[in-house]
């Protein structure tokens, strides 16, 4: 069902050339994405930690595209933990609220990124994996740019990598739209 929604959305998108601009709670989307990857987490033997703001984290955008980005980043993190398994594989998803921006951090303690891989990160069809297509991050970057966001990575002090996604944050007034209309 998820795959067919993505395909339908990509078709719609190529017709209209515009992503949807709906109010999206990234915290909710992260929870949904984590349960979507439940089986993948279990087969990697990875524990999941979620650090999400209680009141949600609102952005404007296309839920299906944003979920595709989140799922791709999570899949890469899990792949990295299977490539070079740490003693305790751990995937951490964190949302940080800043003035004007929401930052998602997808942190793993997997194989990490060498300079060669890092140089080709966003090059389509460049993959270090035997069955990798090498298009996940290219798609992520296109979708993120359509949302006026940014995507970058950092190397963890201990082990593994963190991918960061920054998206423009909805103004407080817009965040409260639901509260106003339902009260
Ligand atoms: N969290 C990570 N840790 C280590 N390496 C990573 C991580 N995320 C991405 N990479 C590296 O970046 C490369 C490109 O990632 P990308 O998602 O574009 O393609 P892929 O995962 O190889 O294939 P797919 O098209 O199935 O996603 C990967 O092959 C891997 O070498
Ligand atoms: Mg990938």
């Amino acid at each position: 069902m998820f795959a067919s929604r993505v395909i339908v959305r990509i078709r719609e998108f190529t017709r209209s050339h515009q992503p949807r601009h709906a109010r999206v709670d990234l915290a909710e989307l992260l929870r949904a994405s984590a349960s979507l990857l439940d089986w993948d987490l279990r087969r990697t033997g990875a524990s999941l930690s979620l650090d999400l703001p209680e009141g949600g984290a609102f952005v404007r955008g296309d839920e299906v595209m944003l979920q595709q980005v989140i799922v791709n980043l999570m899949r890469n993190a899990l792949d990295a933990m299977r490539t070079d398994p740490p003693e305790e594989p751990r995937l951490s998803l964190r949302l940080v609220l800043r003035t004007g921006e929401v930052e998602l951090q997808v942190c793993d303690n997997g194989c990490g990124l060498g300079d060669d891989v890092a140089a080709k990160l966003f090059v389509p069809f460049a993959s270090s994996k035997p069955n990798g297509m090498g298009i996940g991050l290219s798609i992520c970057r296109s979708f993120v740019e359509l949302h006026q966001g940014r995507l970058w990575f950092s190397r963890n002090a201990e082990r593994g990598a963190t991918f960061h996604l920054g998206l423009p944050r909805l103004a407080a007034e817009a965040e409260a739209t639901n509260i106003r209309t339902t009260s």
Side-chain angles (χ1 to χ4, degrees), residues 8 13 15 25 28 31 72 79 86 92-93 95-96 98 100 103 120 125 132 142 160 162 173-174:
V8 167
F13 171 67
R15 241 181 285 137
D25 180 0
E28 202 46 54
R31 281 190 209 100
N72 276 342
D79 288 343
S92 309
L93 305 178
L95 278 179
V96 184
R98 302 216 170 79
E103 184 186 325
K120 292 192 192 149
F125 307 112
S142 316
T162 299
E173 202 176 280

Side-chain angles (χ1 to χ4, degrees), residues 72 75-76 79 129 134-137:
N72 276 342
R75 284 227 172 93
N76 280 348
D79 288 343
K129 302 167 198 174
I135 56 166
L137 285 176

Side-chain angles (χ1 to χ4, degrees), residues 66-175:
L66 292 174
Q67 182 162 37
Q68 185 65 30
V69 173
I70 293 168
V71 167
N72 276 342
L73 294 179
M74 287 174 65
R75 284 227 172 93
N76 280 348
L78 292 167
D79 288 343
M81 294 192 278
R82 282 196 302 272
T83 301
D84 181 11
E87 243 169 63
E88 292 182 16
R90 188 179 180 83
L91 176 67
S92 309
L93 305 178
R94 197 161 166 243
L95 278 179
V96 184
L97 295 180
R98 302 216 170 79
T99 326
E101 192 181 54
V102 182
E103 184 186 325
L104 163 64
Q105 299 172 355
V106 180
C107 176
D108 67 66
N109 56 357
C111 60
L113 289 151
D115 288 341
D116 290 358
V117 170
K120 292 192 192 149
L121 219 46
F122 297 101
V123 176
F125 307 112
S127 174
S128 62
K129 302 167 198 174
N131 300 317
M133 292 254 291
I135 56 166
L137 285 176
S138 304
I139 292 174
C140 286
R141 193 156 76 168
S142 316
F143 284 3
V144 170
E145 281 171 2
L146 283 166
H147 288 79
Q148 287 80 46
R150 49 203 189 108
L151 182 64
W152 72 102
F153 81 95
S154 60
R155 295 183 170 104
N156 302 336
E158 291 277 305
R159 217 188 125 95
T162 299
F163 277 77
H164 307 251
L165 163 66
L167 289 170
R169 189 178 166 188
L170 261 192
E173 202 176 280
E175 281 190 12

